[in-house]
Amino acid sequence: MIKKIFRACWLALVLLFMYCPILILVVYSFTDTAIIGTSGNLSFKNYITLFTTSDLRNMIIGTLVLALVSGLIATVLGTFGAIGAFYSRKSAKGFLMLANQIPVVNADVVTGFSICVLLIVVIGVEKSTFIPLIIGHTALCTPFVFLSVLPRLKQMDPSLYEAARDLGASPSQALYRVVFPQIVPGIVSGFFLSVTLSLDDYFITTYTKPATFDTISTYVVNATKGSQTAIKTALWALSTVFFVVIIVAVIVMNTASSRKAGDDIEKANA
């Protein structure tokens, strides 16, 4: 009994430590105060400012488009990279695994500066274009897609591909009709992880973005250095919106997974 109480208290403490700052931000996003810690009246002015200010709208739309584009490219590259590594020989697989781990462990500031030097200084790509930015975000996200897909491949029955080939399927048919359906959860997880990493990145974006373009991370840093109080408090509302969207997405995904698992159990029992 004492152990259960201790575990419950410890879990509550951990959850409080993780979510208390976010909940405080959520509460203050619905007030008219400009300083957290001071009292204020209930107000929706932060949300009105968020959705009526053109600079904020353009920044949010640009960030989402960048995250979706780079996440999609990273998902394609990471998925095929994981498949290639899984079906490679042991020596080649070990090399690919090692090469994939380096960008994961490497600091973002090193990756961003390296891409900036290679593309802009050495190759001569114009920084006013979005090419360095998209390549940088893709390089950031691709290794995580690789790590999301590879465990699904390891869980898959390796004889399925060979069975499809023995039954007359071409390599591409066996890949798209047999392998891909088995690893869809890993692909989806890798895509959402890529989008999240792109939305959150600051260092790579700072080194590779055009001067006139801002993502949420770079905009927040610049806004906190200025004196525009209305913009700063509107970012509280933006954080709240993202927090709610993530909660809803997680609940929907977990509910769908639970229903699918229940349906599989019912089919197995039938």
Side-chain angles (χ1 to χ4, degrees):
M1 183 66 181
I2 296 177
K3 289 183 178 180
K4 291 183 179 180
I5 295 175
F6 177 77
R7 290 175 183 173
C9 293
W10 180 256
L11 179 60
L13 183 63
V14 171
L15 292 176
L16 181 65
F17 178 79
M18 292 174 58
Y19 290 102
C20 186
I22 300 176
L23 295 177
I24 292 175
L25 189 65
V26 171
V27 171
Y28 276 92
S29 70
F30 290 98
T31 64
D32 56 2
T33 182
I35 302 175
I36 294 179
T38 60
S39 60
N41 299 319
L42 179 65
S43 174
F44 293 95
K45 73 178 186 67
N46 293 328
Y47 293 89
I48 296 174
T49 303
L50 176 64
F51 293 109
T52 57
T53 305
S54 59
D55 289 343
L56 290 173
R57 288 202 311 269
N58 294 336
M59 176 267 296
I60 295 171
I61 294 173
T63 303
L64 293 175
V65 171
L66 172 64
L68 292 173
V69 171
S70 59
L72 182 61
I73 298 174
T75 301
V76 174
L77 295 178
T79 300
F80 281 102
I83 294 174
F86 180 75
Y87 286 105
S88 297
R89 295 180 179 179
K90 187 175 181 179
S91 58
K93 182 185 297 186
F95 172 77
L96 292 173
M97 290 291 295
L98 177 62
N100 185 77
Q101 291 174 0
I102 294 176
V104 174
V105 180
N106 196 22
D108 289 353
V109 62
V110 177
T111 303
F113 187 72
S114 302
I115 293 174
C116 177
V117 171
L118 174 63
L119 296 179
I120 298 175
V121 178
V122 178
I123 299 179
V125 178
E126 291 292 335
K127 194 177 180 181
S128 58
T129 66
F130 289 91
I131 295 176
L133 181 60
I134 294 176
I135 292 177
H137 278 237
T138 303
L140 170 68
C141 301
T142 300
F144 293 92
V145 178
F146 183 100
L147 294 176
S148 297
V149 175
L150 193 60
R152 290 289 178 176
L153 288 166
K154 292 180 179 179
Q155 294 174 5
M156 183 185 68
D157 187 352
S159 63
L160 291 176
Y161 179 82
E162 298 298 333
R165 296 284 288 121
D166 292 339
L167 292 173
S170 64
S172 60
Q173 289 176 333
L175 177 65
Y176 288 106
R177 295 185 180 182
V178 177
V179 177
F180 274 171
Q182 301 292 323
I183 62 174
V184 166
I187 296 175
V188 174
S189 298
F191 173 74
F192 282 109
L193 181 59
S194 298
V195 172
T196 303
L197 290 170
S198 177
L199 291 174
D200 185 60
D201 178 73
Y202 172 75
F203 290 105
I204 294 177
T205 305
T206 300
Y207 283 115
T208 58
K209 75 179 183 70
T212 57
F213 179 79
D214 269 316
T215 61
I216 293 174
S217 58
T218 58
Y219 192 95
V220 167
V221 172
N222 294 331
T224 54
K225 296 179 180 178
S227 58
Q228 296 179 325
T229 303
I231 298 298
K232 292 180 182 179
T233 55
L235 295 175
W236 301 351
L238 178 61
S239 301
T240 302
V241 170
F242 272 102
F243 180 62
V244 172
V245 169
I246 290 172
I247 289 177
V248 172
V250 170
I251 292 175
V252 170
M253 291 178 64
N254 288 340
T255 302
S257 299
S258 299
R259 289 181 178 177
K260 184 178 180 181
D263 293 341
D264 293 340
I265 292 174
E266 290 180 359
K267 291 179 180 179
N269 294 332

